[in-house]
Amino acid sequence: MARIALVTGGTRGIGAAIAVGLRDAGCTVAATYGGNDVAAEAFKAETGIAVYKWDVGDFAACQAGVAQVEADLGPVDILVNNAGITRDGTLHRMSPENWRAVIATNLDSIFNMTRNVIEGMRARGFGRVISIASINGQKGQIGQANYSAAKAGVFGFTKAVAQENAAKGITVNAVAPGYIATEMVRAVPEEVIKSKILPHIPVGRLGEPEEVARCVTFLASEEAGFITGSTLTANGGQYMT
Ligand code: CAA
């Protein structure tokens, strides 16, 4: 797959596995990150993948960032909207700041990034937009009114934009991971993971980032051209839609 791919939040966790997976499939990859310079530099040194720093919640930053990636590497064929944060807390304790931060990074970003690559994809007649949603956007989750709302929004965006671009060689899909062994899940209290999460995963374990990355590599491939507006779920059987 000799394509140019851009992965947001691509230097750590699921995004890093996706960036490496696309590179291994033959793509030239750009990985963006929001703040952790040390992790990004280590990722770049280890993988040789180009890294870029900007806030995906900021439209102008995305516009400038995409322009820089395209100047350096070429037009973006594959966009993976992966960047995401959690600010967990039950609604009756949630601050407006924690609501807004999650909506900005996890949902505004989907517009900010896709808007800045879609015209080029339409002009060239090829594109892949893959957004990482979540099981918690499908079923809702205690402590995640903000995150569940943002991730649920990803599904609506995906279906609308898939229809708009189906005749232009562009597919738009979502991947909905369950609980994957990353720093984000490790931030959940150990007791909650043991007593409230693991017992509900029929496969009996957390997922691995590479298991999500393989879903993305598949959807990004030429062979997946008939799949659009869909959600590929990888959650160990925890929630079946
Ligand atoms: N599943 C089921 N029940 C949960 C739960 C979960 N994941 N998390 C908390 N609960 C329960 C608590 O055990 C508690 O129940 P009991 O009263 O019976 O003990 C109840 O919900 C409410 O908890 P608290 O009163 O302690 O509420 P709080 O306002 O202090 O908030 C919390 C605590 C923020 C919800 C904390 O428990 C937490 O972080 N939970 C994990 C939430 C979660 O699953 N986040 C997913 C992060 S990973 C991710 O987001 C990636 C992805 O896409 C899957």
Side-chain angles (χ1 to χ4, degrees):
M1 217 185 339
R3 299 281 184 185
I4 311 294
L6 192 164
V7 183
T8 66
T11 63
R12 292 191 295 138
I14 291 173
I18 293 169
V20 168
L22 288 170
R23 181 203 64 185
D24 291 349
C27 293
T28 301
V29 180
T32 81
Y33 70 102
N36 191 332
D37 296 312
V38 173
E41 286 308 316
F43 174 79
K44 182 180 170 186
E46 191 186 318
T47 64
I49 291 172
V51 301
Y52 295 83
K53 183 180 183 177
W54 74 78
D55 175 2
V56 290
D58 176 337
F59 185 81
C62 292
Q63 195 167 33
V66 168
Q68 186 62 55
V69 169
E70 295 201 325
D72 293 349
L73 306 180
V76 174
D77 302 307
I78 300 166
L79 169 65
V80 184
N81 289 312
N82 165 78
I85 59 170
T86 52
R87 295 285 184 273
D88 289 358
T90 45
L91 181 69
H92 52 277
R93 296 197 186 105
M94 187 177 289
S95 67
E97 291 72 26
N98 283 348
W99 169 265
R100 182 99 295 280
V102 170
I103 298 296
T105 302
N106 299 13
L107 184 58
D108 290 351
S109 62
I110 310 290
F111 169 78
N112 295 343
M113 289 302 301
T114 311
R115 179 67 186 82
N116 280 302
V117 298
I118 200 74
E119 287 182 76
M121 289 178 176
R122 287 172 65 88
R124 293 187 300 278
F126 179 88
R128 296 281 184 266
V129 177
I130 301 153
S131 300
I132 306 305
S134 166
I135 185 175
N136 293 342
Q138 297 172 305
K139 71 170 186 56
Q141 173 57 49
I142 291 172
Q144 291 201 305
N146 48 7
Y147 187 91
S148 298
K151 294 297 189 179
V154 172
F155 299 121
F157 176 94
T158 296
K159 291 173 189 174
V161 180
Q163 290 175 50
E164 290 176 7
N165 294 283
K168 296 282 185 188
I170 302 166
T171 66
V172 186
N173 291 291
V175 172
Y179 284 74
I180 308 297
T182 63
E183 282 172 48
M184 184 181 275
V185 168
R186 280 191 286 269
V188 174
E190 181 74 24
E191 180 46 34
V192 171
I193 292 187
K194 275 201 188 126
S195 67
K196 307 276 183 188
I197 295 172
L198 279 175
H200 296 288
I201 305 177
V203 168
R205 62 173 174 84
L206 298 177
E208 293 299 327
E210 291 72 20
E211 293 178 301
V212 179
R214 284 192 284 276
C215 297
V216 173
T217 307
F218 166 63
L219 289 171
S221 68
E222 311 281 334
E223 292 76 10
F226 202 57
I227 303 172
T228 195
S230 78
T231 299
L232 183 47
T233 291
N235 64 25
Q238 187 180 354
Y239 188 71
M240 301 183 187
T241 51

